[in-house]
Amino acid sequence: AQSVAQPEDQVNVAEGNPLTVKCTYSVSGNPYLFWYVQYPNRGLQFLLKYITGDNLVKGSYGFEAEFNKSQTSFHLKKPSALVSDSALYFCAVRDRPGGYNKLIFGAGTRLAVHP
Amino acid sequence: DTGVSQDPRHKITKRGQNVTFRCDPISEHNRLYWYRQTLGQGPEFLTYFQNEAQLEKSRLLSDRFSAERPKGSFSTLEIQRTEQGDSAMYLCASSLGAPQETQYFGPGTRLLVL
């Protein structure tokens, strides 16, 4: 079965420092991977996705993610964190290839950026 | 593009009552998904529509839950005889019918069953 794991419940970083939010996946076939962000009492906002091609994917708000097939990872990164980046981040993988594209989500990582 | 909208945003009900939620997807999107998110967890898939056809349902969707998308546009999710365990955020998402499409989420309906 497809699955994702986010090993950190919370990540703390100082404003202006680089940030990394980790995600590992387990899939059969080629993975379709996604990152979403959720602000308090809000729905999920799409940040970026990896389907194929370059391993470094650039997305919204200066975020990027690196796909690493050998380590089965898809870590979210940003060179310089902002206090406004503080939110809940979810990694997701598309369910089985050829299926109806429902997403399987990780448990989420809370990012706290301190001034 | 007005995005995915959901109504109501919040619902408080007593155990045993029925509730209905509405989702209006992005207008040109023919795929619509419902997810449920409980506190401290990621969203979990409930059901999927392509146009008006309900093509997949999760085991999470007990017989107290029913979803419809009668004209392939908006969708409703009804919970009958609500239980306290139904308290959660109910999220709707929509996407285009391409194999690599991105799902765009609405703001969610937060349900509290007392």
Side-chain angles (χ1 to χ4, degrees):
Chain A
Q2 320 285 71
S3 66
V4 292
Q6 295 182 242
E8 301 157 317
D9 290 336
Q10 178 150 335
V11 170
N12 296 296
V13 64
E15 187 175 30
N17 283 1
L19 69 87
T20 298
V21 182
K22 296 180 180 178
C23 172
T24 58
Y25 64 89
S26 174
V27 301
S28 56
N30 294 321
Y32 286 16
L33 296 158
F34 302 80
W35 275 102
Y36 286 85
V37 59
Q38 186 175 36
Y39 294 97
N41 299 313
R42 301 289 298 274
L44 277 69
Q45 294 181 28
F46 169 73
L47 283 178
L48 51 80
K49 66 183 177 183
Y50 173 82
I51 304 298
T52 187
D54 288 342
N55 290 341
L56 186 64
V57 178
K58 294 189 182 297
S60 306
Y61 312 119
F63 284 93
E64 57 190 28
E66 186 171 9
F67 171 69
N68 188 316
K69 188 173 183 177
S70 63
Q71 297 185 3
T72 62
S73 66
F74 189 56
H75 300 332
L76 182 69
K77 300 181 179 183
K78 188 173 182 181
S80 178
L82 300 172
V83 172
S84 57
D85 292 330
S86 299
L88 194 53
Y89 290 80
F90 290 99
C91 182
V93 65
R94 193 190 72 171
D95 195 25
R96 66 195 184 282
Y100 295 123
N101 295 336
K102 71 185 183 217
L103 295 175
I104 309 298
F105 286 88
T109 298
R110 186 166 300 282
L111 174 66
V113 181
H114 305 285
Chain B
D1 179 358
T2 58
V4 179
S5 61
Q6 292 186 246
D7 184 71
R9 294 290 306 277
H10 304 274
K11 180 70 177 179
I12 300 174
T13 191
K14 293 182 179 179
R15 189 176 52 185
Q17 298 294 305
N18 299 344
V19 295
T20 300
F21 309 141
R22 176 178 170 127
C23 170
D24 286 89
I26 294 171
S27 58
E28 65 269 26
H29 287 183
N30 63 349
R31 297 187 176 197
L32 187 146
Y33 305 78
W34 285 98
Y35 293 83
R36 181 172 69 185
Q37 184 181 21
T38 53
L39 206 60
Q41 300 296 320
E44 296 175 292
F45 169 78
L46 291 178
T47 191
Y48 159 71
F49 289 86
Q50 183 163 317
N51 299 311
E52 66 275 11
Q54 187 175 21
L55 297 183
E56 189 171 1
K57 293 194 293 186
S58 163
R59 290 190 301 272
L60 293 175
L61 215 64
S62 76
D63 56 8
R64 295 185 298 106
F65 287 71
S66 62
E68 295 183 340
R69 194 182 182 196
K71 296 182 180 180
S73 56
F74 73 91
S75 175
T76 58
L77 178 68
E78 181 183 16
I79 309 174
Q80 296 182 328
R81 305 181 302 281
T82 53
E83 301 173 356
Q84 288 185 326
D86 297 330
S87 296
M89 173 80 90
Y90 290 83
L91 295 164
C92 176
S94 70
S95 69
L96 288 170
Q100 301 176 4
E101 81 282 15
T102 298
Q103 293 181 30
Y104 294 94
F105 284 79
T109 295
R110 183 170 295 282
L111 172 66
L112 178 60
V113 182
L114 301 176

